Amino acid sequence: MSENRNTAVQTSVAEGRGRTDAARAEGHADERDCGGPVAPLWWVWLAAWPVTAVFVLSNAATPLYVLWQRDIGFSKGTLTVIFAFYIIGLLGSLLVSGVVSDRVGRKPVLLPALGLALAACLIFATATGVAALLVARLFTGIAVGAVVSAGMAAVTDVAGPGRKRIAALLASCAMVFGAGLGPLLSGVLSEVAPGPTATVFVVEAGLLVTAVLAVLRMPVRRPEAHGKGAWVRVPGVPRGNGRQLALGIAVFAPGITATSFVLSLGPSLLSGLLDTDSRIVAGAMAFVMFLAATGVQFAVQRLSRRTILTAGAVSTMLSMVTLIVAVHSSSVAVLVASALLAGAGQGMGQLGGLSLLNAGVPPRRLAEANAALNVGGYVPAGVLPVSVGYLSDAVGLTDGATVFGTVLLGVALVGGLFVRATRRGVTDPA
């Protein structure tokens, strides 16, 4: 009996040692995929800074469009086309940046993207026509496409395999906080500083220079193994991760489409409701929208992914209901509530989607997976607001916003029902 017990103990110890060795080997493999040993936590925060800096640029032009419309002269339809050039650049970038980043490394993608962002600052600051605005927005979109794929994956690489939850949270919050900070800075500086359409881009250029320095020092290495297949392709995920991607897109896409509408046509709505062209007010509304997107992610981070995604879909639906009420009642307070709900919807959809991908996709394919999530989100975010912009020129902003709100309400409802009908892979903590 004693010998049997001793044999059982020895077997258990050996199995435990084997599992430990296997886990250690897996950890070393993850370290090789992620670019080296785990970095200090402060480096994880700093790795998210380039994402924030580029997203400051992404929406910095929003409060300035009323000035360019006055000085250059173009319609709401043209305004949404300018916005759409950003989407075109972003989607084109996503077709290549994720794959290239996974194969040659994060830095070779991020550094050229930051260079394009600096060029966009120069063009914005000196723009005298629609063509210049189109080029600047195109360059901005390309830079953003690179940071949402390579930049967000770099945050996960620096965090290491044991801190995927905090990596998803910081990468997602870096994106939405930068997206909100840009229009706030632009609105304030354009009102109180000389050069209303130039000063903010000088400040933003300084922020981008610090982001370049952060990327140069970032503790990530080039991947040791190169993937197979075309370098330019519609980004996707490994076999078996399609459900996670679809769930993320189902909620993230309606959420970011709602915030895109507020960014592109929100100043026009405020002008109609408030009879004011204050850039500070327009910038502040965008800022609080993305501040809500940032804060809600910290609030819900410990909930299950399924709960986060469901709440994101509900928030986007409520945002569309309040948008319709706002434009028919001419209520600024209800419009701001709609913006806050839209921000919360995007934030939760984004966090849930990134968390699903971080948990299930290997590091060597993570940048491409991030690109796939954003392609799924930004396609409707580009198409619907542009369509509504032209529709509003024909039938009026109130009816155009009503049609948009009704359509997106239905899309968000379908996304929420899809999440509730799915249990596998979305019930673990984010």
Side-chain angles (χ1 to χ4, degrees):
M1 181 76 71
S2 177
E3 289 179 359
N4 290 340
R5 186 181 297 112
N6 289 338
T7 300
V9 170
Q10 290 171 358
T11 301
S12 177
V13 170
E15 289 176 351
R17 186 182 298 115
R19 285 192 296 269
T20 301
D21 291 342
R24 186 180 297 114
E26 182 179 353
H28 289 320
D30 281 340
E31 284 186 0
R32 286 194 299 271
D33 282 338
C34 293
V38 175
L41 183 59
W42 61 267
W43 247 120
V44 184
W45 285 81
L46 189 58
W49 171 243
V51 178
T52 298
V54 171
F55 268 92
V56 169
L57 175 64
S58 70
N59 294 328
T62 297
L64 305 179
Y65 286 129
V66 290
L67 294 178
W68 283 317
Q69 279 184 297
R70 181 196 66 194
D71 297 338
I72 300 172
F74 50 83
S75 67
K76 289 188 289 293
T78 302
L79 173 59
T80 54
V81 170
I82 294 171
F83 183 82
F85 259 66
Y86 163 80
I87 304 294
I88 292 170
L90 187 149
L91 293 176
S93 177
L94 290 174
L95 295 179
V96 63
S97 58
V99 175
V100 172
S101 173
D102 285 335
R103 293 185 182 182
V104 305
R106 313 308 184 200
K107 293 182 182 182
V109 173
L110 290 174
L111 291 173
L114 291 168
L116 273 180
L118 285 165
C121 287
L122 176 62
I123 297 171
F124 269 130
T126 58
T128 57
V130 171
L133 296 178
L134 292 174
V135 172
R137 287 296 283 172
L138 182 69
F139 283 4
T140 301
I142 294 171
V144 168
V147 300
V148 298
S149 53
M152 289 184 165
V155 177
T156 302
D157 290 353
V158 173
R163 296 185 295 200
K164 290 183 177 181
R165 182 178 61 82
I166 189 66
L169 177 65
L170 292 181
S172 183
C173 287
M175 172 180 168
V176 293
F177 181 73
L181 183 60
L184 180 64
L185 279 176
S186 181
V188 172
L189 291 176
S190 68
E191 294 277 8
V192 304
T197 59
T199 304
V200 66
F201 298 109
V202 175
V203 174
E204 166 62 2
L207 299 180
L208 290 169
V209 169
T210 65
V212 170
L213 297 176
V215 171
L216 288 172
R217 298 289 296 171
M218 192 178 294
V220 292
R221 295 198 303 265
R222 292 195 177 194
E224 297 178 2
H226 297 291
K228 299 179 181 179
W231 287 76
V232 179
R233 66 189 188 212
V234 176
V237 293
R239 186 181 300 275
N241 296 120
R243 181 181 295 271
Q244 290 95 324
L245 176 63
L247 287 165
I249 291 175
V251 180
F252 175 55
I256 198 169
T257 302
T259 57
S260 295
F261 175 83
V262 174
L263 288 170
S264 60
L265 292 176
S268 298
L269 282 171
L270 281 174
S271 178
L273 295 178
L274 280 179
D275 194 23
T276 178
D277 291 327
S278 170
R279 277 98 65 189
I280 294 178
V281 173
M285 186 175 73
F287 177 72
V288 298
M289 177 174 70
F290 286 111
L291 189 63
T294 304
V296 74
Q297 292 182 67
F298 282 96
V300 304
Q301 60 174 306
R302 297 191 181 280
L303 300 178
S304 73
R305 300 182 186 101
R306 187 166 180 252
T307 301
I308 292 172
L309 289 170
T310 302
V314 171
S315 185
T316 300
M317 291 165 59
L318 292 175
S319 171
M320 292 302 97
V321 171
T322 51
L323 172 66
I324 295 170
V325 172
V327 296
H328 283 277
S329 64
S330 298
S331 171
V332 175
V334 179
L335 179 63
V336 172
S338 175
L340 291 173
L341 288 165
Q346 178 187 333
M348 287 186 282
Q350 186 171 297
L351 176 62
L354 285 174
S355 297
L356 285 171
L357 296 180
N358 273 10
V361 177
R364 64 182 180 275
R365 293 287 303 277
L366 187 57
E368 184 183 355
N370 289 343
L373 175 67
N374 282 276
V375 166
Y378 276 104
V379 166
V383 172
L384 284 178
V386 169
S387 302
V388 172
Y390 278 104
L391 179 64
S392 298
D393 284 337
V395 303
L397 195 53
T398 297
D399 290 342
T402 301
V403 171
F404 173 83
T406 303
V407 171
L408 199 61
L409 173 63
V411 174
L413 175 61
V414 172
L417 292 174
F418 176 45
V419 171
R420 296 310 300 174
T422 306
R423 291 185 178 275
R424 183 163 56 89
V426 292
T427 55
D428 297 331

